[in-house]
Structures are given as structure tokens and as C-alpha cells.
Amino acid sequence: MKRLLSAFISLLTIYSSTLMAAEMTTITPDASSPASSSLILTSKTSSLTATAHSFDYSLSALQQAYYRGIDGIDSTIHLQQGLWAGDPYQPGGNVMPQVMLLGDLKAIGALNSHNNPMAVVLLNYSPGGSGQFLYLAVMAYQQGKLVNLVTQYVGDRVRVKDLAIKNHTIILDVIQAGEHDPACCPGDVARHIWRFNHNKLIEVPSNQAIVRLTPAILANTDWRLESWRYGDPVTDGSKISLRYINGHFVGMVDCNNYTVTVNALLRPGFIDVLEQHAAITDRQCDDPLSVHRQKRYFEQLANVTQFTYFAGKLALTYRHDNQVGVMIFTAEKI
């Protein structure tokens, strides 16, 4: 029990450091920067119309399942509440191999001719050093039991943009390190596609070209602010939105509209928000707290230096009053 508690605390540290990864790379943008992992936040599924109700791919079921195929772990592991911890490398030590289910991001759909729904989930493996290794696992029901059919290694410190099942294939959009990128600071936007064949995943070429991470990738998506920074969620009832259009962030803070100019810098994912090129309406909103939300939002937005993705969410890193934080935005459902 003590070992599990220690592992849980350690994994929470990894979980929170994911949200801080962008701010860390802003402060120390070199290969020795602290590791980041592709973790966190809200649920995203591909729906299947037929018989999906008879297969339990709920978060609670996936958090208690057995998984295998992680490099360096010879045995099958049993997650408990989405966590697994191996034995410490040193007797009585706190450094141990750990695995966490990224329960907020999954895809459900058919992957073979039987058309029974399967679940695709993501696992983060932390062997104890700076590496944060992302794995993709295919889950299905066999004789009434939830089984891990195959597990596929994706990469080290990869940040996930999207995960889906379409036309019997798994599609994973990621931000990964380019040829000259340090592991801490990935800058290539890439798509990986796998087909499931006889309990194996076969990667097939993607027709989508690899591009560098620029604000243009944010276009055509409406984002809603979920948290001001890690552990500081936006209160219920407030509405703060963001959209990127032709070199500008536009959106609303409660009843007021705004637009601000954004310049892309040479390093992928780094931007300059031009506070002097901002326009904000001056309506009196019904909620008296909206004035404080507006003030805080624009102070943080004006000091944003970097953006990236974490498990399908948008993360904007800012530095204000000698403090660094990461605002997290969720994609609005269409």
C-alpha cells in the first residue's frame, strides 16, 4: 500500500509536470530541459452505432485492466485506478518503473471485419529517468473479459493532438521531435496510422505531410478555457473562448468580444502576442465577477510565449508577475 501511494504521488508529479512542460521549455529550451509527457484532461471517443452498449469501455473498466507489451516490463501489469508501479530500483528507494493510463483520451470503434467495437487507449511509461514513453493499446472483449490485444510504442515525450478510429484504422495526430529538435521541445506535426491485423498493428503511410508547429494549425477550431493554470479551474458559468484567424486570437470573455494580433516566431510553437494590437469591447456583463475574469485573462494572454497540445487540449504558456503558468483550453464540440 505504501509503495502504491508513493507511486501515485510520483505519477501525479509527472501528470502535473506535463502541464508545466511548455513553461519549462520556455525557460530552459535545450536538450537538458525537464521531460514532458503527453498526458491529461478531457474524454474524447469515436462513437459506434451498433451494439456498443454491450461492451464496457468506461474509464473505470480501463483503469482496472491488464496490459502487456511495454518495453522493459517483461510481465503483464495490472492497473489499479489507472496506475501501476514496479519494485524500486534500490531497496527502500522512491525511483521505480511506473505506468499511467491517460484515461481522458480514448477512441472506440471497429478495427476488423467482425465490426465489434474495440477501444484504443494511451499509456505513459516512466522508467524513472527523463524519458516519458507513450504507448498505444488496443482493448477488446473476449469471452466476456476485457483483454489487451496489442500494445504499440509511439515515442518519447510525444504530445498528442488527436486520437480517432476511422474506416477500421487508428489515427493518431501528434507533436513529435523533428530531425534537429531536442527531445524536450518537439516541433513536427505528424500523423500515424495503423491497421489491426491478426492481433498486430501494422503502420501504414500517411498522406498527410509533416509540418512544423505554427499557429496556423489552430485554425478552424473553437477553444474554451478550462483552467487558468494547473489546479486552478475556470469557475462554472463563465465563458472564455479563443479562436485563431489569420494572425489573430479572437473570442469572448463572458459578454465581451476581443481580438489580438499574434506573431509566429522562428522556433516551432513559440509566439508573440502583441498587447498593443488588441481590441476589446466594453459591455457591462450581468455577472459582477466578469470584470475580474476579463482582467486576469488578458493579463495572461498578453504574456503568452508558447503553445502546444496535451492529449487533445490546447496549452498556452504565459509568464506574468515572475510566475509561469499554462492555460488549458478544450476544443468545443461541434
Side-chain angles (χ1 to χ4, degrees):
M1 187 65 182
K2 289 182 179 179
R3 182 162 63 87
L4 184 60
L5 179 60
S6 174
F8 178 77
I9 293 172
S10 180
L11 283 168
L12 280 181
T13 302
I14 296 169
Y15 182 92
S16 60
S17 69
T18 298
L19 290 175
M20 297 297 186
E23 63 198 48
M24 290 176 176
T25 56
T26 301
I27 297 170
T28 324
D30 60 280
S32 62
S33 296
S36 64
S37 58
S38 304
L39 311 183
I40 59 185
L41 303 182
T42 58
S43 176
K44 211 172 164 172
T45 63
S46 299
S47 61
L48 189 74
T49 55
T51 68
H53 63 277
S54 61
F55 298 87
D56 182 11
Y57 293 121
S58 63
L59 177 60
S60 59
L62 295 167
Q63 285 181 326
Q64 308 302 320
Y66 290 84
Y67 296 87
R68 60 184 178 83
I70 296 178
D71 298 327
I73 302 178
D74 296 331
S75 60
T76 298
I77 63 172
H78 181 202
L79 297 189
Q80 299 181 49
Q81 298 181 338
L83 306 170
W84 172 87
D87 293 326
Y89 293 115
Q90 299 293 333
N94 293 322
V95 180
M96 63 196 76
Q98 301 164 24
V99 176
M100 173 187 283
L101 174 73
L102 312 189
D104 294 323
L105 191 64
K106 64 182 177 182
I108 299 174
L111 290 174
N112 56 26
S113 59
H114 296 298
N115 287 325
N116 288 331
M118 299 179 183
V120 178
V121 299
L122 298 171
L123 299 168
N124 184 74
Y125 170 47
S126 173
S130 61
Q132 300 294 322
F133 301 109
L134 182 68
Y135 284 82
L136 180 148
V138 177
M139 308 296 291
Y141 275 87
Q142 293 184 343
Q143 299 180 344
K145 293 183 178 181
L146 184 58
V147 178
N148 176 202
L149 298 181
V150 62
T151 301
Q152 174 69 45
Y153 174 68
V154 179
D156 180 14
R157 283 165 275 193
V158 173
R159 297 168 187 176
V160 178
K161 182 176 180 287
D162 200 10
L163 171 66
I165 294 176
K166 294 181 181 178
N167 300 323
H168 292 82
T169 62
I170 301 167
I171 302 174
L172 184 67
D173 292 324
V174 301
I175 315 298
Q176 63 187 27
E179 183 178 358
H180 300 294
D181 292 336
C184 71
C185 313
D188 276 0
V189 182
R191 169 167 288 182
H192 296 280
I193 301 176
W194 292 274
R195 291 193 180 277
F196 181 76
N197 186 20
H198 298 293
N199 288 349
K200 294 182 179 180
L201 286 178
I202 301 172
E203 187 162 8
V204 297
S206 169
N207 293 326
Q208 181 169 297
I210 295 176
V211 298
R212 296 296 276 170
L213 183 63
T214 68
I217 199 174
L218 302 175
N220 304 317
T221 304
D222 292 312
W223 301 94
R224 175 180 52 83
L225 184 65
E226 180 179 278
S227 61
W228 298 102
R229 59 180 298 154
Y230 176 69
D232 189 3
V234 173
T235 56
D236 293 337
S238 61
K239 181 180 180 181
I240 301 175
S241 64
L242 179 144
R243 187 180 178 91
Y244 179 81
I245 302 177
N246 297 328
H248 297 83
F249 283 151
V250 302
M252 293 191 70
V253 181
D254 296 330
C255 68
N256 281 297
N257 301 87
Y258 72 88
T259 179
V260 59
T261 301
V262 179
N263 283 342
L265 303 181
L266 291 178
R267 294 187 59 201
F270 283 77
I271 56 176
D272 186 14
V273 179
L274 304 182
E275 184 179 11
Q276 67 273 25
H277 292 205
I280 309 163
T281 59
D282 192 23
R283 302 186 186 97
Q284 190 72 32
C285 304
D286 294 335
D287 187 348
L289 295 178
S290 64
V291 175
H292 302 286
R293 283 194 292 267
Q294 180 173 297
K295 180 177 183 294
R296 180 177 183 180
Y297 179 65
F298 289 120
E299 284 177 345
Q300 294 183 184
L301 186 64
N303 289 281
V304 167
T305 59
Q306 189 180 358
F307 79 95
T308 190
Y309 287 86
F310 291 116
K313 300 206 172 186
L314 171 63
L316 298 183
T317 299
Y318 62 89
R319 187 162 194 164
H320 180 59
D321 289 339
N322 296 320
Q323 293 186 347
V324 180
V326 180
M327 288 191 288
I328 301 296
F329 293 77
T330 304
E332 293 276 19
K333 295 181 180 179
I334 301 175

